[in-house]
């Protein structure tokens, strides 16, 4: 159907250059060829295109055990910006032994180059280098006083806020190549994370993606050259549904630009809008790809304690926002009838 469309020219060939004129959507994926990646890098800036995804797990803040973790920054300098999970020597040894024996994911042929990871080693590789390596690295307890004991713990895992609302927390220094089931098993050995709910698990693989907070507007246009738009995993979203949503927005905005209409930004109350808002407004220094998850949505006020009812609330609010968005932009928004909450 695409090939037969009178207004579409389909070319099955490698694209190595961004066209110098016209409206362009960059929909190239995580295995972008070297030639096109170099062209994108030249367009966006050397520091704003990444070739490997070395990401730590992210957990929901409300799943942490408040009786075992405490908020603090090292030596109490500045704002208490980290959740800290203190470990005694027995707890540390149990975690270290689990990391050393846990099963790793297999690398693909094109991912065998490991030199990049020396500056960003998997946590299990650091553990295998010696019993004390983690205690002098990401689990360094220096300057972190456990309020329960008044002393520095034997080791300490830190979690950094991943979003402005402080609902998602990144395990600092826990980039990993362990299989996903192993990550849940091993990381739940950490005091305070026994019931942790992971919205993203750690990954280390080849994944060409933009530092979108520097590069992209919420309309998925490049900030420095608005005729260029990007969508899919190269923007820092993860998952097929997210890629489809980004493709719709980029394609719709390309058409609107061609018609002389203002481009659209999806309402942040919707999952697609929240995800694009995250990739376009995250912290550039710590930016890593993100899948759709409830933690990136604006919190409902007043807060709904029951998780299932809260998810229904997110849904209803999103559909209301989407209807208003459609009316405001003369779009027809259709969605199926809703079942009653259970």
């Amino acid at each position: 159907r695409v090939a037969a469309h009178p207004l579409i020219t389909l070319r099955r060939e490698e694209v190595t250059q961004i066209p110098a004129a016209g409206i362009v959507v960059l929909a190239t994926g995580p295995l972008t060829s070297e030639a096109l990646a170099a062209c994108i890098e030249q367009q966006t800036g050397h520091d704003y295109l990444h070739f490997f995804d070395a990401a730590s797990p992210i957990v929901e803040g409300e799943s942490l055990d408040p009786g075992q973790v405490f908020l603090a920054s090292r030596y109490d300098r500045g704002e208490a910006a980290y959740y800290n999970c203190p470990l005694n020597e027995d707890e540390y040894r149990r975690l270290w032994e689990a990391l050393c024996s846990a099963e790793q994911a297999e690398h693909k042929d094109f991912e065998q180059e490991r030199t990049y990871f020396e500056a960003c080693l998997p946590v299990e590789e650091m553990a295998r280098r010696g019993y004390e390596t983690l205690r002098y690295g990401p689990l360094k307890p220096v300057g972190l006083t456990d309020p329960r004991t008044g002393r520095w713990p034997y080791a300490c895992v830190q979690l950094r806020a991943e979003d402005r609302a402080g609902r998602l927390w990144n395990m600092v220094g826990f980039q990993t190549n362990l299989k996903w089931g192993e990550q849940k098993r091993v990381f739940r050995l950490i005091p305070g994370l026994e019931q942790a709910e992971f919205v993203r698990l750690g990954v280390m693989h080849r994944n060409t993606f933009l530092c979108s907070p520097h590069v992209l507007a919420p309309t998925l246009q490049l900030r420095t050259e608005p005729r260029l738009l990007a969508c899919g995993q190269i923007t820092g979203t993860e998952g097929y549904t997210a890629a489809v949503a980004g493709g719709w927005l980029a394609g719709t905005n390309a058409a609107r630009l061609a018609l002389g209409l203002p481009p659209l930004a999806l309402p942040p109350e919707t999952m697609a809008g929240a995800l694009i808002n995250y990739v376009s407004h995250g912290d550039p220094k710590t930016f890593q790809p993100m899948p759709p998850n409830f933690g990136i949505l604006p919190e409902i006020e007043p807060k709904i304690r029951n998780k299932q009812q809260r998810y229904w609330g997110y849904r209803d609010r999103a559909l209301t926002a989407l209807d208003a968005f459609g009316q405001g932009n003369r779009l027809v928004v259709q969605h199926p009838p809703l079942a009653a909450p259970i």
Side-chain angles (χ1 to χ4, degrees):
R1 289 177 64 182
V2 171
H5 197 287
L7 300 179
I8 298 175
T9 300
L10 178 62
R11 298 180 182 174
R12 300 187 182 276
E13 60 189 47
E14 181 182 0
V15 176
T16 60
Q17 294 286 328
I18 298 174
I23 299 166
V24 179
V25 177
L26 303 172
T28 180
L31 302 183
T32 301
S33 68
E34 290 185 11
L36 185 56
C39 186
I40 295 172
E41 188 176 28
Q42 184 178 16
Q43 178 71 49
T44 58
H46 176 75
D47 295 332
Y48 304 143
L49 185 65
H50 305 277
F51 297 96
F52 282 93
D53 191 351
S56 301
I58 294 175
V59 302
E60 288 189 5
E62 65 178 17
S63 69
L64 303 176
D65 183 351
Q68 299 192 73
V69 303
F70 62 94
L71 273 171
S73 291
R74 208 172 295 276
Y75 295 108
D76 292 323
R77 292 173 180 163
E79 183 183 0
Y82 295 84
Y83 268 125
N84 297 275
C85 306
L87 293 85
N88 60 34
E89 187 169 3
D90 288 339
E91 292 164 339
Y92 176 79
R93 179 173 291 278
R94 186 162 57 249
L95 175 64
W96 176 78
E97 290 174 346
L99 285 169
C100 290
S101 61
E103 190 175 0
Q104 287 187 287
E106 294 183 5
H107 280 274
K108 305 293 189 297
D109 291 341
F110 52 79
E111 295 174 338
Q112 292 306 315
E113 178 59 54
R114 304 288 184 94
T115 55
Y116 171 85
F117 296 136
E118 187 62 33
C120 194
L121 287 170
V123 65
E124 63 273 12
E125 177 62 27
M126 285 189 280
R128 294 189 188 103
R129 292 189 174 188
Y131 180 73
E132 296 285 344
T133 303
L134 290 173
R135 291 187 66 234
Y136 285 88
L139 273 68
K140 180 172 65 176
V142 175
L144 296 168
T145 302
D146 185 345
R148 297 175 302 175
T149 65
R151 301 190 304 270
W152 295 351
Y154 186 80
C156 192
V157 174
Q158 289 197 303
L159 293 92
R160 179 189 64 240
E162 186 71 15
D163 64 322
R164 295 177 182 177
R167 300 174 62 202
L168 302 177
W169 293 81
N170 185 299
M171 297 179 65
V172 178
F174 272 73
Q175 58 276 357
T176 178
N177 194 45
L178 295 181
K179 290 187 173 181
W180 286 0
E182 288 285 79
Q183 291 185 43
K184 293 180 180 180
R185 178 184 69 84
V186 173
F187 298 154
R188 284 176 177 154
L189 295 174
I190 298 170
L193 301 188
E194 293 89 347
Q195 304 299 321
E197 294 188 20
F198 295 90
V199 302
R200 184 191 73 190
L201 289 161
V203 290
M204 296 192 80
H205 58 197
R206 181 176 171 181
N207 181 12
T208 305
F209 64 99
L210 297 166
C211 183
S212 293
H214 258 306
V215 175
L216 292 182
T219 57
L220 296 181
Q221 295 171 279
L222 267 65
R223 298 181 191 274
T224 56
E225 192 161 357
R227 73 177 181 91
L228 302 180
L229 304 97
C231 64
Q233 283 184 258
I234 198 170
T235 64
T237 65
E238 289 187 347
Y240 292 119
T241 304
V244 170
W248 176 86
L249 181 62
T252 296
N253 280 340
R256 290 177 69 87
L257 291 173
L259 294 170
L261 299 173
L264 304 175
L266 291 169
E269 295 83 2
T270 65
M271 184 62 75
L275 187 58
I276 293 171
N277 184 67
Y278 173 83
V279 301
S280 60
H281 289 92
D283 184 351
K285 295 180 180 178
T286 59
F287 180 71
Q288 289 289 342
M290 176 70 72
N293 67 85
F294 288 107
I296 61 176
L297 290 168
E299 195 158 9
I300 291 178
E301 295 294 344
K303 187 174 182 178
I304 302 175
R305 295 289 179 182
N306 182 278
K307 181 180 291 185
Q308 188 172 24
Q309 292 179 359
R310 184 163 70 246
Y311 290 168
W312 284 103
Y314 285 144
R315 180 209 64 182
D316 294 341
R317 183 184 64 177
L319 292 174
T320 299
L322 199 58
D323 286 337
F325 168 79
Q327 294 172 11
N329 293 285
R330 298 183 182 179
L331 301 174
V332 177
V333 178
Q334 296 179 323
H335 48 76
L338 304 179
I342 298 172

